[in-house]
Amino acid sequence: MLKKPFLMIPGPTNVPERVLQAMHRPLINHRGPEYEVMFQRISLDIRKIFQTKQPVLIYPAAGTGMMEAAIVNILSPGDKVLALSIGVFGNRLAEIAEKFGAKVEKLEFAWGHQADPALVAQKLAEDKNHEIKAVLMTHNETSTGVTNDIQALAAACSGHPALRVVDAVSSLGAVELKMDEWHLDVVFTGAQKALMLPPGLGFLALSEKAWQAQAASTMPKYYWDAALLKKSLVKWQNPYTPPVTLLFGLAESLTMIEEEGLSAVFHRHQLIGEAVRAAMEALGLGLFADKAGASDTVTSVLVPEGFDVKKIQQHMRDVYGIVLAGGQKQLENKIFRIGHLGYITPSDVLLTISALELTLAALGKEGLQGKGVKAAQDVFLAELSKQ
Ligand SMILES: Cc1ncc(COP(=O)(O)O)c(C=O)c1O
């Protein structure tokens, strides 16, 4: 049967037709005037999504590149850092810092839960000599489907000079994050999540304090050197060849976000997150993430007893064209993840839940048809009645 391929994974996400069309054009000279006009507009508009007045640097990179860029730009070998981890990506950032010679103290929290700001405050209070140079945190832990309270974590750092470094790869542009107002020092993200683009662009912003640390940092860097990008940005240029095609796409996706309005984008993600969670509960499927931090960009669902997660994914993909993500590391075979960020609408969610009900029925869990869909519909109806 004909299927439409559809990504319900937490990145790469579905790219809107408008963005695809915008990229479908001949290249321009990246040292020419047309490019400079476009790059200026993009560079200014992306600051609105970071909610910062600082320059946002755009690298040709995956999210992991931005993790490395964040570390090598602000630290020197031997610097002590406090790395908060609630899952795979918190661990990865800690590992990168360690590889580049930082002394990493890890503060790990149970997977499925948020990091506890009180414990962070306590650790920093114990650091009387201010040896800790940075606190590393993940805004949205994609592997567990948990969103940290970054505002509270940043507040827990107040009174200590450590830089607050935030991985916002699977949250920025979908979940509120106020870089300047919350006093965040380093924030980074990638293109292939809420920004509705194909993979290949990384975004990094530093506060004034982080720029001072950048000037003093001695970790080795060339490609990631933020000072190089900042210098070129004054002329709306890049120090090396930019992925011009992806930037055409970015210009269009930023227009789409502006048309919808950033707060409306956040609200859409909240509503959809709520609908997905309500549907899973109505289907009797357990949610892995603690309610307090349940992510509005990805929902982690416990695999029902006796079910093979790969069979669920396979049936969804082969019969309905819908791609779900599995669990990572110790969550492999224990959860599947429904990504719902970026170019995602209530209709997409209703379709996915309906297909999941049919998949569960086909694999032996009968009698659920319509239950999850109704729970999600109720969330959307309640929203309509407010308008
Ligand atoms: C929170 C988070 N950080 C970092 C990354 C790494 O991004 P990439 O896969 O583009 O290297 C991801 C990817 O899913 C992520 O979700």
Side-chain angles (χ1 to χ4, degrees):
M1 214 195 304
L2 180 69
K3 300 182 285 282
K4 289 186 189 168
F6 199 72
L7 298 175
M8 290 297 290
I9 55 176
T13 59
N14 299 292
V15 178
E17 191 65 27
R18 272 176 70 173
V19 173
L20 292 172
Q21 291 295 342
M23 291 189 296
H24 193 78
R25 57 169 284 198
L27 285 173
I28 56 174
N29 173 18
H30 66 286
R31 301 286 177 219
E34 190 188 349
Y35 179 85
E36 280 173 22
V37 170
M38 175 179 76
F39 198 58
Q40 174 177 13
R41 189 233 134 176
I42 288 172
S43 300
L44 294 176
D45 279 359
I46 191 76
R47 292 180 198 180
K48 297 179 197 157
I49 302 190
F50 276 71
Q51 303 195 46
T52 186
K53 291 197 167 57
Q54 297 298 328
V56 176
L57 310 176
I58 306 179
Y59 290 83
T64 307
M66 290 303 89
M67 296 170 111
E68 187 167 318
I71 296 296
V72 300
N73 272 294
I74 57 159
L75 295 174
S76 299
D79 278 353
K80 199 168 165 189
V81 301
L82 183 65
L84 315 184
S85 178
I86 60 167
V88 169
F89 295 103
N91 285 346
R92 186 180 296 180
L93 194 55
E95 192 185 333
I96 293 170
E98 208 160 75
K99 281 236 157 110
F100 281 89
K103 278 196 222 130
V104 177
E105 184 181 351
K106 242 166 120 180
L107 195 52
E108 292 190 68
F109 298 87
W111 286 26
H113 296 266
Q114 292 177 309
D116 179 0
L119 275 182
V120 176
Q122 190 189 322
K123 274 276 165 210
L124 292 174
E126 284 163 15
D127 180 40
K128 302 265 185 269
N129 297 331
H130 292 170
E131 284 173 16
I132 297 173
K133 300 295 176 214
V135 179
L136 313 182
M137 38 191 135
T138 317
H139 188 195
N140 185 74
E141 180 49 75
T142 324
S143 64
T144 59
V146 172
T147 305
N148 269 323
D149 185 344
I150 288 295
Q151 189 176 9
L153 289 172
C157 300
S158 63
H160 190 288
L163 297 169
R164 298 123 195 220
V165 179
V166 182
D167 171 347
V169 170
S170 61
S171 56
L172 198 96
V175 179
E176 184 92 83
L177 183 123
K178 298 181 175 179
M179 178 168 168
D180 290 356
E181 200 179 309
W182 296 353
H183 304 290
L184 308 178
D185 294 299
V186 180
V187 177
F188 57 86
T189 195
Q192 76 277 22
K193 310 270 185 185
L195 295 178
M196 307 182 286
L197 291 163
L201 291 176
F203 305 83
L204 175 74
L206 307 185
S207 68
E208 263 168 42
K209 194 165 126 192
W211 276 111
Q212 284 165 21
Q214 204 279 339
S217 137
T218 62
M219 278 189 182
K221 50 191 159 289
Y222 183 89
Y223 187 77
W224 299 133
D225 190 342
L228 277 183
L229 274 84
K230 193 183 181 194
K231 199 166 148 223
S232 300
L233 197 59
V234 175
K235 298 173 283 166
W236 309 116
Q237 277 287 334
N238 314 78
Y240 33 75
T241 315
V244 178
T245 305
L246 284 172
L247 295 173
F248 290 150
L250 175 61
E252 188 63 22
S253 74
L254 289 172
T255 302
M256 287 180 70
I257 292 171
E258 197 166 324
E259 283 171 7
E260 188 177 355
L262 197 54
S263 54
V265 172
F266 296 153
H267 186 65
R268 173 167 54 82
H269 282 86
Q270 276 165 8
L271 188 70
I272 283 175
E274 194 191 328
V276 172
R277 291 189 291 276
M280 294 307 112
E281 281 181 329
L283 291 174
L285 300 177
L287 296 174
F288 179 71
D290 193 29
K291 264 205 169 74
S295 166
D296 288 328
T297 63
V298 53
T299 297
S300 45
V301 185
L302 292 166
V303 176
E305 195 68 28
F307 273 70
D308 177 351
V309 68
K310 293 220 162 53
K311 289 220 168 95
I312 297 176
Q313 286 176 282
Q314 191 182 358
H315 193 90
M316 286 289 282
R317 191 185 58 232
D318 291 354
V319 181
Y320 301 107
I322 297 173
V323 186
L324 300 179
Q328 293 172 288
K329 306 280 178 186
Q330 66 251 43
L331 293 179
E332 205 180 329
N333 292 323
K334 296 206 169 68
I335 60 166
F336 61 87
R337 292 172 300 150
I338 305 176
H340 35 83
L341 72 165
Y343 189 50
I344 200 87
T345 66
S347 318
D348 300 327
V349 166
L350 292 172
L351 206 76
T352 303
I353 296 165
S354 174
L356 182 63
E357 289 173 352
L358 292 170
T359 297
L360 292 174
L363 297 176
K365 211 167 165 64
E366 298 275 1
L368 293 176
Q369 283 101 305
K371 290 190 174 159
V373 170
K374 179 173 185 317
Q377 285 172 339
D378 287 344
V379 171
F380 297 135
L381 274 176
E383 173 66 15
L384 274 181
S385 70
K386 283 186 216 155
Q387 289 167 5

